[in-house]
Amino acid sequence: MLEKLSEIEKKYDALEASLSDSAVVSDLERYKALMKEYKELTPVVEMFRAYKKAQGDLEEAEALLSEDDPELKELASEQADEAREQIERLQDSLREALLPKDPDDDKNVIVEIRAGAGGEEAALFAFVLYRMYHMYADTHRFAFELASCNDTELGGMKEVSFLIKGEGAYARLKYESGVHRVQRVPETESQGRIQTSTATVAVLPESEDSSFELNMDELEITTHKSSGAGGQHVNKTESAIRVIHKPTGLVVDCQNERSQLQNKAKAREIMKARLAAMEREKAEAETSDHRRSQIGTGDRSERIRAYNYPQGRVTDHRIELALFDVPGFLNGNLDEMIEALATAERAAMLAANEEK
């Protein structure tokens, strides 16, 4: 670990020198790329330098322990204890900092929600989840763009797709993929009986132009009228776009924009993200270590969370964490759960590294 940290420090010093080079400063793209790398390395290098200083403090204190002066020996002993504690703490932090970062963490995300088992109640729950993510995006000042939705007459959603844009959006929301289950008395239930319904959530990182090529010859693009339970622009013009990827049969509908051109661009963006995700999942399936260290990020069939209204409890089954604030959670207060999931994933990755 120390050898790797020394290499990172040398790279950091080289980057620092490059950023003051006039030739680099005049090349905006290169400067931005180097500055991004420099910022990413800064916290690691600062921790490493604090670790080396603590090591020096410990050596200095241990040298003083052989002195005859009792008062000096007592001070040296205290300094040595403090240095050991700091070294241990920094070692743990540095191990975590050296874990491989998900390359998609800083990307925007495309979220797709579909009503599952439970009929109209499942569609109403899908809308609740849609609202929850919308409020979460607003809280974190992420941009929110609706791509398409298929409403029901009672205000539910059979399916909906939208984009959340902002630095770190995928890092925050990637743990949401999977089956969400709700237990509550439905609005459609007159006898007061509790019903269990489900909705599936898929969170995809937006695919950058350079990272995945979309073969336009494999796409079938058609236009149709917008569909839904209502709305000013619904069923009036053929502005909605349907994109079919012929080799896989994947279908993307986009109807929320006013023009065919805008809908086509957004539909292609979503299709590109879906296909890139399929390629990534295929590659990850071949890398068992990576799969083992993940906390359920991507499997749409995995039941990840239950929302129990009568007990006021939200439980994430992957880490067995229960929060007793259903209203607050559904109003977008997801941070405590997301932080716990991220911590659990880092712990799993550290454990996997130690097994090697």
Side-chain angles (χ1 to χ4, degrees), residues 304-332:
I304 63 166
R305 193 174 297 148
Y307 304 74
N308 189 307
Y309 276 59
Q311 297 178 13
R313 185 183 69 235
V314 180
T315 304
D316 196 287
H317 298 293
R318 294 163 294 183
I319 55 175
E320 295 304 325
L321 174 64
L323 301 178
F324 290 86
D325 182 18
V326 168
F329 197 88
L330 295 176
N331 281 335

Side-chain angles (χ1 to χ4, degrees), residues 254-269:
C254 194
Q255 63 185 37
N256 198 58
E257 302 295 342
R258 292 276 174 171
S259 72
Q260 281 188 14
L261 191 63
Q262 290 172 311
N263 280 323
K264 185 180 292 185
K266 191 164 287 186
R268 285 169 56 183
E269 187 177 358

Side-chain angles (χ1 to χ4, degrees), residues 109-110 143-145 147 161-165 206 266 269-270:
V109 296
I110 295 164
F144 187 96
E145 297 178 12
S161 62
F162 51 91
L163 288 78
I164 296 179
K165 297 188 174 185
E206 189 177 42
K266 191 164 287 186
E269 187 177 358
I270 294 172

Side-chain angles (χ1 to χ4, degrees), residues 99-150:
L99 290 174
K101 184 183 177 184
D102 189 332
D104 294 327
D105 274 353
D106 291 333
K107 292 183 180 179
N108 304 324
V109 296
I110 295 164
V111 182
E112 300 176 333
I113 303 174
R114 287 182 172 80
E120 183 63 40
E121 168 62 7
L124 290 168
F125 178 51
F127 171 75
V128 169
L129 293 177
Y130 164 80
R131 176 181 174 275
M132 178 180 78
Y133 295 126
H134 199 328
M135 295 184 76
Y136 180 80
D138 289 345
T139 299
H140 289 268
R141 298 185 178 180
F142 291 147
F144 187 96
E145 297 178 12
L146 179 63
S148 68
C149 65
N150 186 352

Side-chain angles (χ1 to χ4, degrees), residues 26-61:
S26 61
D27 185 341
L28 184 58
E29 288 302 315
R30 187 182 175 199
Y31 181 82
K32 285 169 63 178
L34 291 179
M35 179 57 77
K36 181 182 179 183
E37 191 174 4
Y38 179 80
K39 286 182 177 179
E40 288 175 352
L41 293 181
T42 295
V44 180
V45 171
E46 288 178 349
M47 275 193 287
F48 181 47
R49 288 174 177 171
Y51 172 84
K52 289 193 294 183
K53 183 181 181 302
Q55 286 278 27
D57 292 343
L58 177 60
E59 291 171 7
E60 180 183 292

Side-chain angles (χ1 to χ4, degrees), residues 65-83:
L65 288 172
S66 60
E67 295 290 331
D68 294 331
D69 187 336
E71 188 175 340
L72 186 59
K73 287 179 70 173
E74 184 178 352
L75 288 171
S77 178
E78 290 177 3
Q79 180 178 320
D81 289 341
E82 289 176 5

Side-chain angles (χ1 to χ4, degrees), residues 102 284 289-298 345 348-349:
D102 189 332
E284 288 171 357
D289 287 346
H290 181 81
R291 266 293 182 203
R292 188 175 57 197
S293 66
Q294 285 188 315
I295 305 295
T297 56
E345 181 172 47
M349 292 174 71

